[in-house]
Amino acid sequence: MKVLVIEDEQGLAESITEYMVKDGYICETVTTFREAEEKIHLYTYDCIIVDLTLPDGNGFQLIEMLKRLMATTGVIIISARNTLEDKLKGLDIGSDDYLTKPFHLSELNARVKSLMRRRQFGGYTEIRFQELVVVPQTRNVFANGQLTMLSRKEYDLLLYFLSNVDVALTKASIAEHLWGDNIDSADSFDMVYSHIKNLRRKLLDKGAADYIQSIYGIGYKFSQP
Amino acid sequence: MKLLAKTNRIYLAFSLVIYLLTALAFYQIIRLLIYDEVESRLRVERRDFETYVRIHNTWSSSPYFVENKIEVVPVSKRQSVSESFTDTLILNRYDNELTPFRQLTFYEPIHGVMHRVSIRKSLIQTYRLIEVITATMVVFLGLLLLGMFWFQRRLSGQLWYPFYDTLSRIKQFDLSHNSPLDLSPTNITEFNELNDVLQKMAAKMQQDYRSLKEFTENASHEIQTPLALINAKVEQLIQTESLSETQTHWIETIYQASRRISRLTQGLLLLAKIENRQFSDSQQIDLANLLTQKLADMDDVLSFRHLSIQIGPTAPFDVHLPTALADSLVTNLVNNAIKHNQPEGRIELTSTAAQLCLRNTGGPLVTDPERLFERFKKESASSDSVGLGLAIVRQICDSYGLQIAYQAAGGIHEFCITRA
């Protein structure tokens, strides 16, 4: 899958690219409006990740241009601007998602994956990981073929893990994924812990392996034991 | 009262007084002139009478004087005054009406006998004259007054038109739009000066508004981008397998600090934006309903902290707020009520059409309640908190005609929002 990252902050662009490449994407990076314009005219991408504030232009214009050329390309905006107007305008001209800086790379990755699932298979796709099967359409989770009843948050948590396999996830990124930006109480990490405990127990009950490892001081990692 | 109505009213009152005084003075002057005229004629007749008496040494009702015109009465002794003018009314023998006369009384010896002689002149013509003059004056002065009044109204309406025009344009002027305040030039210097000053002020305000708006946008971008960079690099760094415990601890600290800076700048920039009134899409929002929803959204945290919610009785508490700010307001209130609660505590929401109260249980306040809404006033030492939540709540309330008050009694902390 081809992804174009349009971000003028070199370091951030690098990080995003590395993160995506590790996950199996073909990733290209540009840092200016002009380069981006050239790329979207020459090639087709499955998804573009675009910053709104570019040194020589506005991300909105790029999106409008892209939508005229290739309407099926997914668009995720990453911007430091967090006003409602910008978010609405972004969605209005055809972008699929809006992430406010600073964001978690794992969150961006999860959004890209969810977008790709929606775009490519109309959502009719299963996510498989060893003996686990998740059907996003119905929000059902099967472990060893048995339906596993998960709460809403546990399901979201599992999907977040499955989007970021083999990646160390911080507790903060998990908390923000589950409850959004507004959760600012110190309780959130404990709540993450209790949801993870429940999810792990439910999966183990159905005979699945223990994929969730905790990393001291940082968070959790979902990977083969 | 409107300026023109006020000036017209003053003008009218003043003119009326002047008009009445003029009329009175005029009447008096005419009356004086006429009396002077009548009296001098009476004096002439007195001389005629005296000459007649001196020549003839007798007096008979001479045909010279018609009825009521003269009265000669013998008196035993003369009065001290030699002559006196008086007004008198005498019955007219033809139409049986009292007619006003001016009378000159003097004493004259006839045949050695002192007589009191009264010569009279009818004032009926004079009175008619005064009446006619007065009536004419009333009519003309009245017309003049009305005319002036009408003219004055028209004139001041026209003179003040640029002023009212300017006023209505200022009322319609919107800072957040790019169009400058456009005031049409007039031929009155003062109004031109006023317009000039207003235009300069409006331009300055617009410029300030724009530069602060740009600043908040740029600052947001310039600060959040490096923070995003730090976050991304930290996330990449923690993927390294061989981190020691100390290193992880350092990384975690860096990560949390960057998140705090991010929240802090977001909070401060939000405050600046509210102060600069950058939110324009005000809508009618039922805060009671929004708070109820927000409390329902927070069920995870609430059940985790074993907090119970008590809602009611509630009535819609409608306010005019931009959606984003209404959301920020309730989020900060709810977060505050959760953060400073105690285990097994309670959160209560009640509202009427005039006030909305959110109460929470919790330990006594450490800081001064007066300073609770100030920036960076942290009640708990929790590093996660940046201490801007209540400052934002206060700023939103202040900027949109609401008032927030804090009260504590018996372990219950109460925040009430009313309309200011």
Side-chain angles (χ1 to χ4, degrees):
Chain A
M1 256 182 282
K2 278 179 76 183
V3 177
L4 177 65
V5 178
I6 308 161
E7 163 63 59
D8 61 323
E9 184 70 35
Q10 193 84 42
L12 189 58
E14 270 170 27
S15 292
I16 296 171
T17 316
E18 275 176 44
Y19 202 97
M20 308 288 288
V21 166
K22 227 173 77 183
D23 229 25
Y25 289 93
I26 301 160
C27 219
E28 283 178 40
T29 311
V30 290
T31 52
T32 62
F33 184 90
R34 281 210 4 217
E35 283 177 88
E37 201 180 356
E38 209 177 290
K39 288 269 185 195
I40 59 176
H41 275 94
L42 287 175
Y43 310 105
T44 55
Y45 296 92
D46 298 292
C47 179
I48 66 163
I49 296 166
V50 56
D51 186 7
L52 288 183
T53 328
L54 294 167
D56 54 346
N58 186 322
F60 285 131
Q61 283 174 324
L62 270 182
I63 297 167
E64 280 166 344
M65 196 186 299
L66 176 76
K67 286 284 153 182
R68 277 197 301 273
L69 291 168
M70 182 79 188
T72 53
T73 304
V75 176
I76 293 179
I77 294 173
I78 46 172
S79 172
R81 282 146 59 170
N82 64 347
T83 61
L84 196 66
E85 289 92 62
D86 281 332
K87 289 178 187 172
L88 291 178
K89 188 178 175 194
L91 296 178
D92 232 33
I93 61 171
S95 66
D96 300 275
D97 218 330
Y98 194 110
L99 262 179
T100 310
K101 285 182 191 172
F103 52 83
H104 302 279
L105 290 176
S106 44
E107 179 67 36
L108 176 64
N109 193 27
R111 303 262 184 122
V112 171
K113 285 204 170 144
S114 146
L115 173 62
M116 289 298 100
R117 277 199 301 273
R118 287 197 314 257
R119 288 261 151 185
Q120 293 190 320
F121 310 103
Y124 289 103
T125 176
E126 297 171 351
I127 304 160
R128 287 174 179 275
F129 183 80
Q130 307 292 336
E131 67 270 37
L132 299 178
V133 178
V134 176
V135 187
Q137 190 70 14
T138 54
R139 296 176 73 91
N140 281 339
V141 175
F142 298 92
N144 286 320
Q146 299 172 63
L147 183 64
T148 311
M149 298 305 289
L150 297 183
S151 74
R152 193 161 49 92
K153 293 286 182 221
E154 286 156 9
Y155 173 84
D156 289 344
L157 185 59
L158 179 61
L159 211 60
Y160 191 53
F161 275 134
L162 288 174
S163 301
N164 292 287
V165 174
D166 265 338
V167 172
L169 297 174
T170 59
K171 284 175 273 189
S173 95
I174 299 172
E176 269 178 38
H177 179 77
L178 293 183
W179 293 288
D181 263 348
N182 289 331
I183 188 101
D184 94 320
S185 75
D187 308 327
S188 60
F189 293 173
D190 296 329
M191 283 158 59
V192 167
Y193 171 74
S194 88
H195 279 301
I196 283 179
K197 203 176 66 185
N198 290 339
L199 176 65
R200 181 189 269 151
R201 185 179 45 76
K202 284 183 183 176
L203 293 179
L204 287 174
D205 279 353
K206 301 289 176 186
D210 185 9
Y211 296 112
I212 306 172
Q213 301 159 21
S214 70
I215 310 167
Y216 171 80
I218 290 175
Y220 303 90
K221 187 188 225 174
F222 196 86
S223 64
Q224 291 268 32
Chain B
M1 191 187 283
K2 287 208 162 192
L3 176 72
L4 290 188
K6 180 103 183 161
T7 48
N8 272 336
R9 210 165 285 190
I10 292 171
Y11 172 77
L12 194 65
F14 182 70
S15 313
L16 261 175
V17 170
I18 292 287
Y19 170 66
L20 285 176
L21 286 177
T22 317
L24 211 68
F26 206 68
Y27 172 80
Q28 289 296 342
I29 287 165
I30 288 178
R31 199 168 159 269
L32 246 137
L33 278 174
I34 286 167
Y35 270 44
D36 192 50
E37 164 73 17
V38 169
E39 279 163 16
S40 64
R41 293 228 309 260
L42 282 173
R43 279 205 187 87
V44 170
E45 282 182 12
R46 177 187 177 180
R47 226 172 319 138
D48 287 351
F49 176 82
E50 280 167 351
T51 318
Y52 182 89
V53 170
R54 211 173 303 131
I55 293 168
H56 298 90
N57 203 18
T58 181
W59 174 253
S60 64
S61 285
S62 141
Y64 181 79
F65 291 105
V66 280
E67 197 244 346
N68 286 339
K69 288 294 169 17
I70 189 155
E71 189 179 41
V72 182
V73 185
V75 285
S76 53
K77 92 179 189 278
R78 79 174 278 162
Q79 297 281 324
S80 53
V81 281
S82 60
E83 68 171 19
S84 68
F85 287 104
T86 45
D87 280 331
T88 181
L89 291 169
I90 288 165
L91 207 64
N92 186 308
R93 74 176 151 196
Y94 301 114
D95 47 15
N96 218 22
E97 261 180 20
L98 285 171
T99 320
F101 280 86
R102 188 70 176 162
Q103 168 177 290
L104 171 65
T105 311
F106 59 94
Y107 297 88
E108 182 74 26
I110 305 170
H111 279 301
V113 180
M114 193 54 82
H115 281 79
R116 190 185 65 208
V117 186
S118 301
I119 316 170
R120 303 177 183 124
K121 268 209 172 297
S122 168
L123 282 174
I124 190 112
Q125 292 305 321
T126 318
Y127 270 51
R128 188 140 309 140
L129 190 67
I130 289 179
E131 268 166 28
V132 169
I133 289 175
T134 309
T136 319
M137 244 189 66
V138 165
V139 170
F140 279 104
L141 278 181
L143 280 176
L144 191 70
L145 188 72
L146 280 175
M148 283 301 285
F149 185 64
W150 175 79
F151 179 71
Q152 162 84 6
R153 259 176 89 102
R154 283 289 304 266
L155 182 72
S156 41
Q158 257 174 20
L159 279 180
W160 286 94
Y161 172 76
F163 176 77
Y164 287 104
D165 185 52
T166 301
L167 199 62
S168 76
R169 286 190 203 203
I170 298 173
K171 276 186 195 158
Q172 280 161 16
F173 178 62
D174 188 356
L175 262 185
S176 54
H177 283 122
N178 264 332
S179 52
L181 179 64
D182 184 29
L183 302 172
S184 34
T186 67
N187 48 15
I188 296 172
T189 320
E190 284 86 346
F191 287 146
N192 274 337
E193 277 172 19
L194 177 74
N195 287 357
D196 256 13
V197 172
L198 285 174
Q199 268 168 336
K200 270 183 200 142
M201 273 166 65
K204 175 87 178 96
M205 277 158 70
Q206 247 173 347
Q207 196 201 333
D208 287 354
Y209 172 82
R210 264 202 301 270
S211 58
L212 191 54
K213 188 167 187 262
E214 270 166 31
F215 169 76
T216 52
E217 279 160 7
N218 291 343
S220 170
H221 180 254
E222 296 306 324
I223 297 169
Q224 303 292 9
T225 305
L227 286 173
L229 189 59
I230 296 175
N231 266 13
K233 294 300 173 197
V234 167
E235 268 190 275
Q236 283 182 293
L237 190 56
I238 59 171
Q239 306 308 328
T240 321
E241 298 286 343
S242 56
L243 286 176
S244 73
E245 242 177 60
T246 334
Q247 284 167 332
T248 2
H249 179 67
W250 290 342
I251 293 171
E252 198 197 357
T253 316
I254 295 171
Y255 188 59
Q256 276 176 4
S258 87
R259 276 163 47 79
R260 249 171 76 199
I261 299 175
S262 164
R263 276 182 191 192
L264 192 64
T265 42
Q266 268 169 9
L268 286 174
L269 291 173
L270 178 65
L271 281 168
K273 280 186 194 172
I274 303 167
E275 265 179 301
N276 197 31
R277 309 233 166 203
Q278 261 161 260
F279 296 90
S280 51
D281 56 330
S282 275
Q283 285 173 11
Q284 182 162 318
I285 290 167
D286 177 9
L287 270 193
N289 184 28
L290 201 63
L291 256 174
T292 314
Q293 277 175 27
K294 184 56 75 180
L295 285 169
D297 286 349
M298 302 293 266
D299 60 343
D300 264 338
V301 192
L302 295 169
S303 60
F304 180 78
R305 293 271 306 240
H306 303 288
L307 300 176
S308 60
I309 300 285
Q310 237 173 352
I311 292 178
T314 58
F317 179 74
D318 289 321
V319 292
H320 270 276
L321 276 181
T323 338
L325 291 187
D327 192 61
S328 179
L329 178 75
V330 295
T331 305
N332 281 310
L333 276 177
V334 169
N335 274 344
N336 184 71
I338 293 172
K339 198 188 295 170
H340 302 297
N341 223 313
Q342 61 203 32
E344 311 287 332
R346 236 178 26 252
I347 297 177
E348 287 172 20
L349 170 69
T350 55
S351 75
T352 63
Q355 111 166 347
L356 174 127
C357 291
L358 191 70
R359 281 176 281 273
N360 66 278
T361 50
L365 208 60
V366 182
T367 50
D368 183 2
E370 294 289 311
R371 310 189 61 190
L372 197 61
F373 292 100
E374 284 178 20
R375 292 175 189 193
F376 307 119
K377 277 286 156 245
K378 286 193 238 176
E379 182 64 15
S380 60
S382 131
S383 61
D384 202 35
S385 158
V386 292
L388 288 178
L390 287 180
I392 290 170
V393 167
R394 167 72 150 271
Q395 186 71 60
I396 293 173
C397 287
D398 284 356
S399 302
Y400 290 89
L402 299 171
Q403 214 161 27
I404 181 141
Y406 166 79
Q407 236 183 342
I412 304 275
H413 304 268
E414 183 185 60
F415 290 89
C416 282
I417 299 181
T418 49
R419 286 184 193 83

